[in-house]
Amino acid sequence: MNAQKNMQSQPNTNLRLEQAVIAGLLISPEAIFDVADRLQPDMFSDNRTGFVYRAVLSLMASGIAVDMLTVENEMRRLDNSLYMQLNGLSFLSDMLLDVRTDAHIRIHADELIRCYTLRQLVNELKKKETEAQLPSADVTALLTGIEDLAGSLRDGMAHVSSMENAGAVAARVLDESYREQALRESGEISRVFFGLHDLDAMTGGLYKEELTVIAGRPSMGKSAVALWMALHQARQGMAVAYFSVEMSKEQNVMRLLSMISGVNADSLRFKGTSASDRARLEEAKKELERLPLTLEYCGSDTIEDMRAKAQSLHKKGWLGVLYVDYLNLINIILSKNDLQETTDLALGNIARKAKLMAEEMKIPVVLLAQLNRDVDRRQGSHFPMLSDLRNSGAIEQVADGVIFVYRAEKYNIFYDPKTKEDLRGVGMLLVAKNRNGATGIAKFRYNPAMTCLTDYDPRVI
């Protein structure tokens, strides 16, 4: 009796599982990169969910943003009669109310693959059972067939599509290295430099598909440093997007105008400007008009909203580097079922999605983050550590590089206790993590307003 009940409930369980996967993809489209190399449309037991998943894969292959409208349009294009029969995505309405994030989509995908494998196993074993009952059954052939079946299903669960021979990967890596070397030797710069000599010499700059986290305590200057880097990169011809959750576009432009013109930001805000100031500001405005620098205010945006905006810029060819300022203010939406999820885990999930954006669009992504108060309580120089990342979660594991912005002046430290060097106007970029290179300290100089950053020269006092 219990076995019969289990058999009856299994199809319903599979359907809800498949609907949960599709709902997660519609709510967080970038999650497709977590499952696309593992899930195929024929793995869905229900033709409706399999059809929707086929439409999502088709959009992904075409580089079209995935949302409910584009998915329905693609369903209509692929099979209008089935689309009309399903009435679009209406059959998913209940599940869309229950599923609010993609937090468990990989777990659901693994379970979906497991159920698909079991169905395949049952179907194939039934065929073998029929063959075994024939008078002419070949025992050796049957056993060999069962072994082949087991091996095939085992390979499917191992996601062999993403596996490569090490030699093939080496060939691809060397080809890319030689290509970039040829570009450098011809005078063409393919890398993205930060714009500060010591930091570029230590790290080599920013790299495609990598996530770099720039972190610091409030008022330490992390936004000013990031905006200066974005300006430098735009001046080098790189298409840069600066998404700010903290400051409006007008506030960021005010900083940029001050950086370019040398006019103090306070003069722009309330002190007033002279005729010569206004002339320089007009020249700065003209330069900004020419630069490939896009600003966006993302005050209430989720990371999914930012991805959609970045994807739109990328398709137009307007995105080579993305800055997000900053992580701890990004809007987090939790369902009732996820209320127990800590901010720690939620921010780690956002960092993971930022890394996925870098890989998806093959661009460097720079994510700003705030440090906790442990830095301020620490005795001595107050140097930050990786564990100081506020609500760090998986941030330090996901990031390819972590750079701390540090100014000794903020802690009333004006001279190096060992070398007696004057630290007024001297900033430090502490490279705490560099997955593919060295770590250490890169120094720079700044003016009191943090609107002008220059390379460090120990001879300057």
Side-chain angles (χ1 to χ4, degrees):
M1 191 69 160
N2 289 335
Q4 187 178 358
K5 287 182 179 178
N6 288 338
M7 289 295 291
Q8 290 173 347
S9 65
Q10 189 65 30
N12 186 51
T13 302
N14 286 347
L15 177 57
R16 286 189 62 79
L17 176 68
E18 293 172 6
Q19 288 180 345
V21 171
I22 297 300
L25 292 176
L26 292 175
I27 291 167
S28 301
E30 72 281 354
I32 187 66
F33 295 97
D34 283 343
V35 300
D37 64 334
R38 304 155 65 191
L39 289 183
Q40 297 301 322
D42 61 359
M43 292 181 175
F44 290 78
S45 62
D46 184 78
N47 72 315
R48 299 175 300 173
T49 51
F51 180 45
V52 178
Y53 185 67
R54 184 154 59 96
V56 172
L57 288 182
S58 179
L59 290 172
M60 175 189 172
S62 304
I64 300 173
V66 174
D67 56 42
M68 294 183 70
L69 179 61
T70 58
V71 169
E72 287 204 331
N73 288 338
E74 187 65 11
M75 289 168 65
R76 190 183 294 112
R77 188 188 71 81
L78 291 173
D79 191 334
N80 187 57
S81 62
L82 181 54
Y83 169 81
M84 297 298 292
Q85 180 185 334
L86 297 178
N87 192 20
L89 295 170
S90 59
F91 72 97
L92 285 171
S93 56
D94 290 341
M95 185 57 71
L96 287 169
L97 293 175
D98 292 338
V99 178
R100 299 298 178 87
T101 74
D102 66 338
H104 307 293
I105 195 165
R106 284 178 292 179
I107 298 172
H108 291 158
D110 287 341
E111 181 62 17
L112 195 154
I113 293 170
R114 190 185 76 86
C115 292
Y116 165 76
T117 305
L118 289 174
R119 289 198 305 274
Q120 293 292 100
L121 181 61
V122 168
N123 292 336
E124 292 300 321
L125 286 178
K126 283 181 179 178
K127 293 179 184 178
K128 297 299 179 187
E129 180 185 11
T130 302
E131 293 176 18
Q133 291 174 350
L134 296 174
S136 59
D138 185 331
V139 176
T140 303
L142 281 170
L143 292 174
T144 301
I146 292 172
E147 289 172 356
D148 291 344
L149 169 64
S152 174
L153 294 176
R154 192 178 294 112
D155 287 347
M157 293 195 72
H159 320 310
V160 293
S161 62
S162 63
M163 298 181 186
E164 287 185 84
N165 176 268
V169 179
R172 189 169 69 250
V173 168
L174 288 177
D175 285 345
E176 181 66 16
S177 176
Y178 298 153
R179 187 185 69 81
E180 291 205 357
Q181 181 179 341
L183 289 174
R184 289 195 301 271
E185 290 173 352
S186 66
E188 185 175 342
I189 303 299
S190 59
R191 283 184 298 162
V192 181
F193 291 111
F194 287 106
L196 294 168
H197 179 269
D198 286 0
L199 184 61
D200 285 324
M202 183 182 300
T203 63
L206 293 169
Y207 293 86
K208 295 177 181 178
E209 301 185 47
E210 291 192 358
L211 172 68
T212 299
V213 173
I214 296 180
R217 286 293 292 148
S219 301
M220 193 58 73
K222 58 183 180 294
S223 296
V225 168
L227 204 57
W228 178 268
M229 292 172 175
L231 175 61
H232 170 82
Q233 289 150 9
R235 281 173 160 170
Q236 301 306 306
M238 183 65 62
V240 182
Y242 195 95
F243 290 180
S244 178
V245 187
E246 183 181 25
M247 294 191 296
S248 67
K249 290 178 280 190
E250 290 76 14
Q251 288 172 313
N252 278 319
V253 162
M254 201 171 292
R255 281 193 174 192
L256 287 167
L257 289 170
S258 181
M259 287 177 179
I260 297 171
S261 67
V263 176
N264 194 301
D266 288 344
S267 298
L268 273 168
R269 293 182 64 193
F270 63 92
K271 290 184 178 179
T273 55
S274 64
S276 61
D277 289 339
R278 289 192 287 274
R280 283 183 288 161
L281 287 167
E282 285 298 319
E283 288 301 314
K285 183 194 73 172
K286 291 177 182 177
E287 181 177 352
L288 283 177
E289 289 171 349
R290 296 191 300 268
L291 291 178
L293 177 57
T294 303
L295 302 177
E296 176 64 343
Y297 176 62
C298 304
S300 60
D301 285 3
T302 63
I303 190 66
E304 289 81 12
D305 297 328
M306 293 183 191
R307 177 204 175 264
K309 291 178 179 180
Q311 187 78 348
S312 175
L313 289 172
H314 188 256
K315 287 175 186 173
K316 297 174 183 176
W318 297 348
L319 184 60
V321 186
L322 174 63
Y323 286 82
V324 178
D325 181 10
Y326 63 92
L327 169 67
N328 309 79
L329 291 180
I330 294 175
N331 192 18
I332 301 171
I333 299 177
L334 297 177
S335 67
K336 292 180 181 178
N337 295 330
D338 290 329
L339 288 178
Q340 73 275 14
E341 182 178 7
T342 64
T343 305
D344 188 59
L345 293 174
L347 293 182
N349 192 38
I350 291 175
R352 179 180 65 83
K353 291 179 179 179
K355 169 66 174 177
L356 287 173
M357 280 200 294
E359 293 174 345
E360 172 193 358
M361 290 177 265
K362 292 182 170 35
I363 60 169
V365 173
V366 180
L367 180 64
L368 277 62
Q370 190 164 295
L371 298 177
N372 59 37
R373 291 188 178 91
D374 290 347
V375 185
D376 297 338
R377 300 188 189 105
R378 193 168 296 135
Q379 298 298 314
S381 61
H382 301 276
F383 273 6
M385 302 183 296
L386 285 172
S387 59
D388 295 324
L389 279 166
R390 188 173 182 182
N391 301 118
S392 60
I395 299 170
E396 61 266 36
Q397 283 80 29
V398 171
D400 296 284
V402 177
I403 301 171
F404 295 125
V405 180
Y406 172 84
R407 292 191 289 153
E409 277 186 295
K410 296 295 291 183
Y411 296 108
N412 295 318
I413 301 172
F414 303 110
Y415 297 93
D416 189 305
K418 294 181 179 178
T419 64
K420 306 305 178 185
E421 175 191 0
D422 190 340
L423 296 178
R424 289 171 296 181
V426 175
M428 298 182 190
L429 298 171
L430 312 178
V431 182
K433 179 182 179 181
N434 185 6
R435 183 166 283 158
N436 300 306
T439 58
I441 298 176
K443 294 181 179 179
F444 65 94
R445 290 194 176 275
Y446 60 86
N447 65 345
M450 279 291 286
T451 55
C452 180
L453 277 59
T454 58
D455 290 332
Y456 175 76
D457 186 343
R459 295 170 298 180
V460 176
I461 300 177

